[in-house]
Amino acid sequence: MLRIMADGEVAKALKCVIERVAAATQARNSDIASLCLQPRLVAVSKTKPKEMIIEAYAAGQRHFGENYVQELVEKAHDKEILECCPDIKWHMIGHLQSNKVKKVVDIPNIYCVETVDTLKLATTINTAVSKQSNNKKLKIFVQVNTSGEENKSGIHPDTVNDLVTHVQKNCPSLQLLGLMTIGAFDHDLSTGPNPDFQTLLKCRAAVCEFQCLEPKDVELSMGMSNDFEHAISVGSTNVRVGSTIFGARNYK
C-alpha cells in the first residue's frame, strides 16, 4: 500500500532535489560547466493529484512534466491549477501520437514537447502550431533511442541529423531546444559513465558540426530520479524528477 505524503512533504522533497541539482551543477568540471546552462528541473507529476502540483508550484517549481496526453490535458485545463499556477510550464515527456498533437498544442502554458522522434510527428506538430493565433514557436527536443531497446521510442542515433535538419529547414513553427534520451534504467554507475548519456553527447557533437551550432545552443534532456546527478555531471541541462519529489506513483 502506498504511503500518502503529508502536507508540506512535497515542498520539503522539492527543496532537497533543488539542493542536489545545485550541488551536482557546482561539482561539474570546468569543460562541462563552460558548455552547460544551469539545469532545468522538470517535476514529473504523472498520476499525482493537483494538490501536489499546486504545493510544488507554491514552493517555487515552474516546470512540470506529464507522460500521458489525457492526464496532461485534464491538469492543464483544471480551473484550480489555472488560478493557483498562472506561470506553470508544461512538458509533454511521453510518447505522442500524431492524432493527439492538436490536444497538446492547444494546452494552456504548454512549454515543450520532449518526445519528437519522427519527421511525420515534427511536421504534424509544426502544422498544428502554425494554426495558433499567438504566432509563438513551440519548443521541442528530438528524442533519441540511445539504448536500442525496442520498447523505447526515439530516433536511431545515426539518423538524428536527418530529423534535426527537417525541423530546422521545414518546421518554422518549432524551436529546437536540443536532444533527449531516457536511456536504460539499470546501468550501474560504479562501472563507469552511463553509455546512453555518452551516446547523446556524441549525437550533440555530430549535430553541432553538421548544423554549425555551438554545443551550448543544443540542450541535453537526460537524467531522472535515479541518476539525475550523474546526468548533470556529464552535461544534462534538463532533468526529469518524479518519485523523489512526489513519492511513489499511484497506478490504478
Side-chain angles (χ1 to χ4, degrees):
M1 191 170 178
L2 293 173
R3 183 177 67 86
I4 298 173
M5 296 182 80
D7 289 348
E9 284 197 26
V10 168
K12 290 177 185 175
L14 174 64
K15 182 174 182 289
C16 180
V17 170
I18 290 171
E19 289 172 351
R20 290 170 63 187
V21 168
T25 304
Q26 188 68 31
R28 292 184 302 199
N29 68 45
S30 57
D31 290 340
I32 298 291
S34 67
L35 294 176
C36 293
L37 304 168
Q38 176 72 24
R40 180 188 303 105
L41 172 62
V42 179
V44 180
S45 47
K46 68 177 181 180
T47 80
K48 295 301 177 181
K50 63 183 178 182
E51 290 80 10
M52 285 188 169
I53 294 171
I54 292 168
E55 182 182 340
Y57 184 94
Q61 181 63 23
R62 291 297 178 267
H63 293 267
F64 292 81
E66 290 287 339
N67 284 64
Y68 306 112
V69 171
Q70 191 56 40
E71 187 173 2
L72 174 56
V73 168
E74 289 174 1
K75 288 176 176 176
H77 287 91
D78 182 87
K79 184 178 178 182
E80 196 171 356
I81 289 179
L82 286 168
E83 289 178 355
C84 297
C85 312
D87 194 35
I88 197 168
K89 295 174 173 62
W90 291 109
H91 292 235
M92 179 63 201
I93 63 171
H95 178 65
L96 179 58
Q97 296 173 307
S98 293
N99 63 352
K100 294 183 179 178
V101 162
K102 188 177 186 302
K103 286 184 177 181
V104 171
V105 169
D106 288 344
I107 284 170
N109 295 324
I110 184 69
Y111 179 83
C112 179
V113 175
E114 295 203 21
T115 51
V116 177
D117 61 352
T118 66
L119 274 67
K120 177 186 176 183
L121 181 59
T123 300
T124 303
I125 297 173
N126 179 73
T127 300
V129 175
S130 70
K131 295 176 180 177
Q132 298 278 309
S133 59
N134 57 21
N135 294 320
K136 284 185 179 179
K137 292 188 176 187
L138 178 62
K139 297 175 178 64
I140 65 144
F141 282 96
V142 165
Q143 182 176 2
V144 186
N145 186 342
T146 53
S147 63
E149 295 171 277
E150 291 185 5
N151 64 330
K152 286 197 171 73
S153 300
I155 195 165
H156 190 278
D158 291 345
T159 56
V160 170
N161 256 317
D162 295 339
L163 181 48
V164 169
T165 298
H166 175 70
V167 170
Q168 299 288 69
K169 288 188 174 182
N170 304 317
C171 301
S173 294
L174 304 184
Q175 178 187 342
L176 178 73
L177 274 189
L179 309 178
M180 181 276 261
T181 191
I182 294 173
F185 292 111
D186 56 357
H187 176 68
D188 181 359
L189 290 176
S190 68
T191 64
N194 187 321
D196 293 317
F197 297 169
Q198 297 302 307
T199 296
L200 200 67
L201 287 163
K202 291 175 184 175
C203 287
R204 178 172 69 177
V207 164
C208 288
E209 181 178 3
F210 192 83
Q211 304 288 340
C212 297
L213 296 169
E214 293 293 325
K216 64 181 177 62
D217 296 324
V218 181
E219 290 197 35
L220 297 176
S221 178
M222 56 190 191
M224 294 183 285
S225 283
N226 62 321
D227 58 7
F228 69 88
E229 287 154 309
H230 171 64
I232 290 169
S233 76
V234 298
S236 180
T237 63
N238 189 86
V239 293
R240 306 177 299 273
V241 180
S243 57
T244 304
I245 295 172
F246 296 109
R249 300 223 165 84
N250 307 315
Y251 292 112
K252 292 179 182 177

